[in-house]
Amino acid sequence: MQLGEFELLPVSDGSFALDGGQMFGVVPKPLWQRKVPADERNRIQLSLTCLLIRTGRLNILVETGIGDKFDARFKDIYDVRHPPTLLTSLESAGVKPEDVHIVINTHLHFDHCGWNTRRVDGKTVPTFPRARYLIQRGEWESALDSSERERASYIEEFFRPAEAQTEFLDGDSEIVPGIRVEVVPGHTRHLQCVRIESEARCAYFISDTVPMAAHLAYPWIMSLDLYPMETLAAKKRLLPELARKKAIVIFPHETTAPWLRLVERQGKITGEPVA
Ligand SMILES: [Zn+2]
């Protein structure tokens, strides 16, 4: 999709599964399973959608999926389904790892930074040898010093071996003209979303603030969120603004479509397919 001067391309790292109860928080199963069916282990399938932004000069990659540095037990618990992988999807778009200039991670949970690194001859190295990796400093610090409640979400090997190429951001920042990161606390304290604006059009990589289209409804908030009331406040602030702009919202985990156009209909914010 062309958005003004930028080309946006969803790139998939396949899918994985999480417990449906974790994904929908206070929403009871009879309600959520009508929209998203669960398997016999109560898991729902989630896409691993990353976004490639081509500025004409730079290839900017938002998120790196779940990667491949896990054992059979992890693969079974999370039902990881490859291919495609992020690397095969990039290759189909004609992009080699060395062609990626900037990697933006919204946060460092294992399903968002998996391909930041890869194993080569028993050593874990940055996957994108020439890229600058951009992450909020506070997110990096929480990932390395996580509490018992969130520890299972962070795997150091997925991001730490790329530390020498990592730049730490302190709050909202412009990455290039037209592309900014904005800190949106809720899912984690320092989660950052990516705003893309060009020629009066807007696209927004909303990350786990709204992981799937079903989560556009205000009370549909993951029980995984560390600060769910802040997620709620962020949704009430962001979604009406994005709907006014008829922005394209890119979801990290929606399986039916990578993005939707936000619109407000009778006071309710919904997504429409992008023509
Ligand atoms: Zn996620």
Side-chain angles (χ1 to χ4, degrees):
M1 177 177 66
Q2 199 70 31
L3 187 101
E5 62 185 304
F6 301 123
E7 189 190 334
L8 308 186
L9 197 73
V11 276
S12 170
D13 191 36
S15 69
F16 78 125
L18 282 181
D19 180 83
Q22 285 183 322
M23 283 306 289
F24 296 110
V26 298
V27 180
K29 185 171 180 183
L31 286 184
W32 62 253
Q33 73 173 357
R34 286 202 298 238
K35 295 196 177 200
V36 189
D39 71 9
E40 71 291 347
R41 292 160 78 177
N42 204 46
R43 298 175 305 186
I44 61 167
Q45 205 64 30
L46 307 184
S47 75
L48 289 157
T49 302
C50 313
L51 179 71
L52 179 68
I53 310 168
R54 304 178 106 149
T55 70
R57 221 166 47 80
L58 298 176
N59 290 315
I60 301 176
L61 180 62
V62 181
E63 310 288 57
T64 65
I66 203 164
D68 67 349
K69 295 179 295 307
F70 42 75
D71 57 17
R73 182 165 172 269
F74 181 102
K75 191 172 191 308
D76 172 59
I77 292 173
Y78 295 110
D79 194 18
V80 180
R81 296 189 196 177
H82 283 153
T85 69
L86 174 62
L87 299 189
T88 63
S89 298
L90 284 172
E91 196 183 333
S92 309
V95 175
K96 296 191 287 293
E98 53 272 31
D99 299 332
V100 174
H101 302 96
I102 294 174
V103 172
I104 300 172
N105 295 117
T106 64
H107 60 305
L108 293 171
H109 284 169
F110 64 69
D111 55 318
H112 293 259
C113 67
W115 284 108
N116 277 24
T117 61
R118 65 175 163 184
R119 288 182 189 152
V120 179
D121 304 327
K123 233 184 128 230
T124 306
V125 298
T127 305
F128 306 100
R130 297 197 184 138
R132 299 155 54 208
Y133 290 72
L134 307 182
I135 186 73
Q136 289 292 320
R137 186 187 310 277
E139 176 65 21
W140 182 275
E141 286 168 357
S142 328
L144 291 177
D145 184 25
S146 53
S147 69
E148 290 81 355
R149 189 172 188 276
E150 53 185 332
R151 193 153 298 157
S153 302
Y154 291 114
I155 303 174
E156 221 174 288
E157 191 193 0
F158 285 19
F159 57 91
R160 196 151 196 196
E163 183 168 6
Q165 286 170 233
T166 302
E167 287 176 25
F168 300 105
L169 307 175
D170 295 297
D172 298 0
S173 310
E174 180 178 76
I175 308 306
V176 298
I179 303 177
R180 308 176 45 76
V181 294
E182 298 176 353
V183 176
V184 181
H187 183 62
T188 68
R189 170 61 61 217
H190 303 277
L191 178 134
Q192 58 184 357
C193 297
V194 183
R195 184 183 289 267
I196 306 145
E197 287 177 320
S198 182
E199 295 168 17
R201 298 181 63 200
C202 176
Y204 202 82
F205 192 98
I206 201 154
S207 189
D208 282 344
T209 310
V210 182
M212 309 171 81
H215 297 86
L216 286 171
Y218 290 142
W220 292 51
I221 291 171
M222 286 190 270
S223 63
L224 290 164
D225 284 16
L226 293 178
Y227 310 100
M229 294 307 287
E230 292 182 44
T231 304
L232 177 63
K235 287 167 75 172
K236 291 173 88 167
R237 175 175 57 79
L238 264 177
L239 297 182
E241 185 243 334
L242 294 170
R244 266 196 306 281
K245 292 184 170 154
K246 297 194 167 39
I248 310 283
V249 169
I250 303 125
F251 306 100
H253 299 307
E254 176 58 47
T255 54
T256 59
W259 50 44
L260 292 172
R261 184 184 306 282
L262 277 209
V263 290
E264 192 161 345
R265 297 243 181 279
Q266 287 114 33
K268 202 170 159 259
I269 290 164
T270 56
E272 289 186 337
V274 177

